[in-house]
Amino acid sequence: MTGRQLDIASPAPPPFGTSAENRHEASRFLGVHFACCDAYSRVYANRTRTAYVGHCPRCARRFEFPIGPGGTSARFFTAG
């Protein structure tokens, strides 16, 4: 097969209509182990960027992780 090559050394181009800033905002999440049901899920920041808010994927228990000065740089937590 001539003329067909796969370049795996270069990063994939971003999807049409996205910017680096949008991708960064969309990737803001915490990894949370919900001990109540032994389940894992990502929790994303709310629109006002005041807290990460999410629910256990099994029992729907709500959890909120406030965002503020003096916080932590940790990205993975256990809740409930």
Side-chain angles (χ1 to χ4, degrees):
M1 296 176 86
T2 9
R4 298 181 91 180
Q5 297 178 349
L6 174 62
D7 180 6
I8 58 174
S10 301
F16 181 74
T18 62
S19 68
E21 184 176 307
N22 289 345
R23 284 191 314 272
H24 177 69
E25 289 297 317
S27 67
R28 288 185 158 184
F29 67 88
L30 301 178
V32 180
H33 172 247
F34 294 94
C36 54
C37 294
D38 194 29
Y40 169 85
S41 183
R42 288 182 174 186
V43 175
Y44 293 89
N46 62 12
R47 290 183 186 188
T48 59
R49 302 281 186 251
T50 56
Y52 289 89
V53 180
H55 298 84
C56 172
R58 294 196 180 146
C59 70
R61 184 175 171 190
R62 184 178 190 272
F63 289 91
E64 185 171 320
F65 303 86
I67 298 172
T72 179
S73 62
R75 306 299 300 163
F76 296 93
F77 298 89
T78 298

